[in-house]
Amino acid sequence: MTADSAAKAKKIVLAYSGGLDTSIILKWLRTTYGAEEVIAFCADVGQADELDGLEAKALATGASKCYIRDLKEEFVRDYVFPAVRANAIYEGQYLLGTSLARPIIAKHMVEIARSEGADAVAHGATGKGNDQVRFELTTMALDGSLRTVAPWREWSFKSRTDLMAYAAANGIPVPVTAAKPYSTDRNLLHISFEGGVLEDPWNEPEEDMFLLTVAPEKAPDRPRYVEIGFERGDAVAVDGEALSPAELLARLNAIAGENGVGRVDIVESRFVGMKSRGVYETPGGTLLHFAHRNLESLTLDREVIALKDSLVPRYAGMVYNGFWFAPEREALQSMIDGTQAKVTGTVRLKLYKGGLWTAGRKSPHSLYDPEFATFEEDAVYDQADAGGFIRVNGLRLRIPLKLADERRKGWWRWGKAPGAAPGRPATAGRAAGGPRRFRRQPGELLPPGGPRPPPGPASPRLPGPKRPPRPPRAPARLLPPSRKPPRGAAPLRPQGPRPRRRRPRGAVPPRQQGPRPRRRRPRGAVRSRLLSRMPPPVFLCPPRT
């Protein structure tokens, strides 16, 4: 955003969380940026006690108004559940907790900006992260007339240490301290930790950092069983009790958290091109993804599962990169939702000290038939049929080997053109023992540059234009003895082919006569005698006996 366009943004809606970044931004927009009015908006997507006193803090820092909207049910129903139906996991580990929360926050921020007549929105995402892309792409998709103010790309602060110093100088209370300078983001699906001591990927996360899960060593000594009920791909009940989407996810967070399930420490690939280390707690989301995947294995066809699995990286990448409201994500979601019509049933999970296992699964739409799968005697499956099935599927594996074997034997040829006269494939042009020369019969195809068929009986030479005779070679012209070259002139060599010198039988070649010339060794070369004096090599593995 240029300085000219920024000067026109007089009324701004800020995505406010009360953390370090947005607390400084709220003050900076009023004092340094020059905004006439800043409206703080906080989306309640499950931050728990982080919202306590948030409105009073925003008004004291400089906000003219503060909106706090409870979006927990909408967040889980319209954002978390669609991602679970798609099995969306970024780079095989990240369950997209922050990526799913940013679109709903930006959506309601745009709605408030329209109702308040604001001409710009603002966010606290840094210029290095993914959140700036997610906020701004969502704003562009929903209202292209709104401008976006990104203070991290404009102000003079270079680090969070500078922000903490600014907060101390202006009396702004922030939850970040010098002892724990990492950044956190919490919602009903997860909580993330980045920065500070975690910037070194070799450092192990400190145990007192975690909020939603206990350490596996401190988890109960008895396993915990939980049953999750699904209807059309969405979780609807826990242990037989029907719950709303937000209540269900909160219940699973408590069950998984007290058993140490849901921690992940990853290095992810950011959309802007760099690597980032993040530590995440996603207890309830881990149970949802695991149970949903198990139920799909029971109710979906093999090819449907394979197709969905091939689309998971693409879908997760769209969500991670901020394209939630893009048409390609919505089209892909429609296709995925069409596969969930029969994903209904119950999955029983076993949790124990950070581990997670499947203890059972059932569905009224199950594709599992015990009569076919049994190892005992059955009357519905003829095991002899498997032989033909395997031979047909192995045909493409056997044909290349058969053709390669025929090529090695020399009996392979491409075949004859339609209407070709019968005859042998090729002929030998010389007597036995000499090099073979093959000739093509009329209408016959031979592989260019490939193996040739064996010679057959002699055949007449095909008619065709004859090669013109070679002109006679001119005799050598020698100077008569009386004509000698003048003194100092180079002697004339006889023209024509040079006569071949024949060595008498038993004569020693000239190169073997006399002493053999000594070869000079280049400087720095090692004498071959020294190699025999070197100690034998040391093998890391004992030699075979």
Side-chain angles (χ1 to χ4, degrees):
M1 189 174 180
T2 62
D4 294 339
S5 61
K8 299 178 182 179
K10 299 301 182 180
K11 194 172 185 179
I12 303 174
V13 177
L14 170 66
Y16 183 72
S17 65
L20 174 63
D21 295 12
T22 56
S23 297
I24 303 301
I25 289 172
L26 182 55
K27 187 76 172 181
W28 180 84
L29 288 174
R30 293 298 308 273
T31 59
T32 306
Y33 186 81
E36 296 179 358
E37 184 178 357
V38 178
I39 301 172
F41 163 64
C42 178
D44 182 3
V45 288
Q47 298 93 317
D49 54 357
E50 293 182 6
L51 301 179
D52 295 343
L54 192 64
E55 181 177 3
K57 179 180 178 181
L59 297 176
T61 309
S64 60
K65 296 180 181 179
C66 181
Y67 286 87
I68 299 179
R69 289 187 176 181
D70 186 355
L71 306 177
K72 293 189 291 293
E73 293 291 346
E74 180 184 352
F75 172 58
V76 179
R77 181 187 65 246
D78 297 339
Y79 295 84
V80 176
F81 279 0
V84 173
R85 293 196 297 268
N87 299 325
I89 302 177
Y90 183 69
E91 293 186 341
Q93 298 184 84
Y94 179 39
L95 300 184
L96 302 170
T98 301
S99 308
L100 293 170
R102 294 302 180 247
I104 186 175
I105 296 174
K107 173 189 173 184
H108 285 268
M109 182 170 60
V110 170
E111 292 179 359
I112 293 176
R114 287 173 178 172
S115 62
E116 289 287 343
D119 50 1
V121 295
H123 59 78
T126 68
K128 292 183 178 181
N130 302 302
D131 284 345
Q132 57 176 341
V133 183
R134 297 163 183 158
F135 276 120
E136 296 181 31
L137 288 182
T138 302
T139 303
M140 293 177 184
L142 300 179
D143 192 340
S145 64
L146 287 174
R147 295 188 299 273
T148 301
V149 180
W152 268 106
R153 303 201 297 259
E154 299 184 26
W155 61 19
S156 59
F157 301 121
K158 302 299 182 182
S159 65
R160 284 193 165 91
T161 304
D162 296 342
L163 297 186
M164 288 187 286
Y166 182 87
N170 290 270
I172 303 174
V174 292
V176 177
T177 63
K180 296 182 179 181
Y182 43 76
S183 175
T184 64
D185 177 74
R186 182 174 181 176
N187 57 52
L188 198 55
L189 180 59
H190 88 154
I191 183 171
S192 65
F193 304 90
E194 291 181 326
V197 296
L198 301 177
E199 291 184 352
D200 185 354
W202 186 250
N203 289 339
E204 181 180 5
E206 299 175 357
E207 184 57 38
D208 59 354
M209 178 185 72
F210 295 99
L211 301 177
L212 303 181
T213 60
V214 301
E217 310 87 55
K218 299 179 181 179
D221 295 331
R222 297 182 61 184
R224 171 69 157 87
Y225 289 87
V226 58
E227 295 183 1
I228 304 177
F230 288 86
E231 288 185 6
R232 302 180 65 87
D234 291 339
V236 294
V238 175
D239 291 331
E241 181 183 356
L243 299 170
S244 69
E247 293 173 344
L248 183 142
L249 186 53
R251 178 77 60 85
L252 294 180
N253 281 337
I255 295 174
E258 65 186 12
N259 287 275
V261 175
R263 292 185 181 184
V264 62
D265 183 346
I266 63 176
V267 175
E268 63 196 67
S269 301
R270 285 183 176 177
F271 190 27
V272 295
M274 66 184 70
K275 293 286 186 179
S276 172
R277 191 256 186 110
V279 178
Y280 302 95
E281 292 180 274
T282 320
T286 302
L287 301 188
L288 280 178
H289 275 273
F290 191 79
H292 179 264
R293 187 73 185 227
N294 273 272
L295 188 58
E296 281 191 334
S297 68
L298 188 67
T299 58
L300 291 187
D301 178 76
R302 177 190 67 184
E303 297 303 321
V304 175
I305 293 177
L307 179 60
K308 277 197 63 183
D309 288 347
S310 67
L311 297 174
V312 166
R314 185 69 186 275
Y315 183 98
M318 294 177 191
V319 178
Y320 184 85
N321 295 335
F323 291 96
W324 179 265
F325 290 101
E328 62 270 23
R329 203 281 312 173
E330 295 175 346
L332 192 56
Q333 187 72 59
S334 298
M335 190 279 293
I336 291 172
D337 291 346
T339 67
Q340 303 295 296
K342 296 184 179 180
V343 184
T344 299
T346 304
V347 179
R348 184 170 64 246
L349 303 178
K350 177 181 178 181
L351 295 73
Y352 181 68
K353 290 189 176 297
L356 180 61
W357 300 269
T358 304
R361 57 187 76 77
K362 62 181 180 180
S363 171
H365 307 292
S366 173
L367 299 180
Y368 180 85
D369 190 342
E371 294 186 11
F372 280 92
T374 180
F375 284 94
E376 303 300 329
E377 182 179 358
D378 64 86
V380 296
Y381 184 78
D382 187 356
Q383 299 194 28
D385 294 342
F389 171 78
I390 296 172
R391 283 193 297 272
V392 170
N393 280 275
L395 189 62
R396 64 184 182 88
L397 306 178
R398 292 187 289 117
I399 288 178
L401 297 179
K402 176 179 177 294
L403 296 178
D405 185 59
E406 292 178 354
R407 293 188 187 105
R408 283 194 300 268
K409 294 179 180 179
W411 290 93
W412 176 86
R413 63 181 182 176
W414 290 66
K416 296 192 175 206
R424 64 176 185 78
T427 60
R430 292 192 181 185
R436 296 177 177 176
R437 301 176 61 186
F438 299 99
R439 212 170 287 114
R440 181 176 62 85
Q441 294 289 349
E444 184 178 16
L445 300 176
L446 291 178
R452 302 286 182 172
S459 64
R461 183 182 295 273
L462 296 177
K466 295 183 179 180
R467 180 182 298 176
R470 182 177 296 175
R473 183 174 295 170
R477 191 180 70 173
L478 302 177
L479 292 175
S482 59
R483 290 186 60 184
K484 295 183 178 180
R487 182 177 297 178
L492 296 177
R493 298 181 59 182
Q495 300 182 6
R498 187 173 182 177
R500 184 178 180 183
R501 297 180 181 180
R502 295 184 178 274
R503 187 169 63 249
R505 290 185 177 181
V508 180
R511 60 184 180 182
Q512 296 182 9
Q513 297 178 4
R516 187 173 182 179
R518 183 179 180 184
R519 298 181 179 178
R520 293 185 176 275
R521 185 173 64 253
R523 289 185 177 181
V526 182
R527 291 178 180 267
S528 60
R529 296 178 181 177
L530 295 178
L531 298 177
S532 61
R533 302 177 185 176
M534 296 177 64
V538 178
F539 296 95
L540 296 179
C541 298
R544 294 183 177 179
T545 56

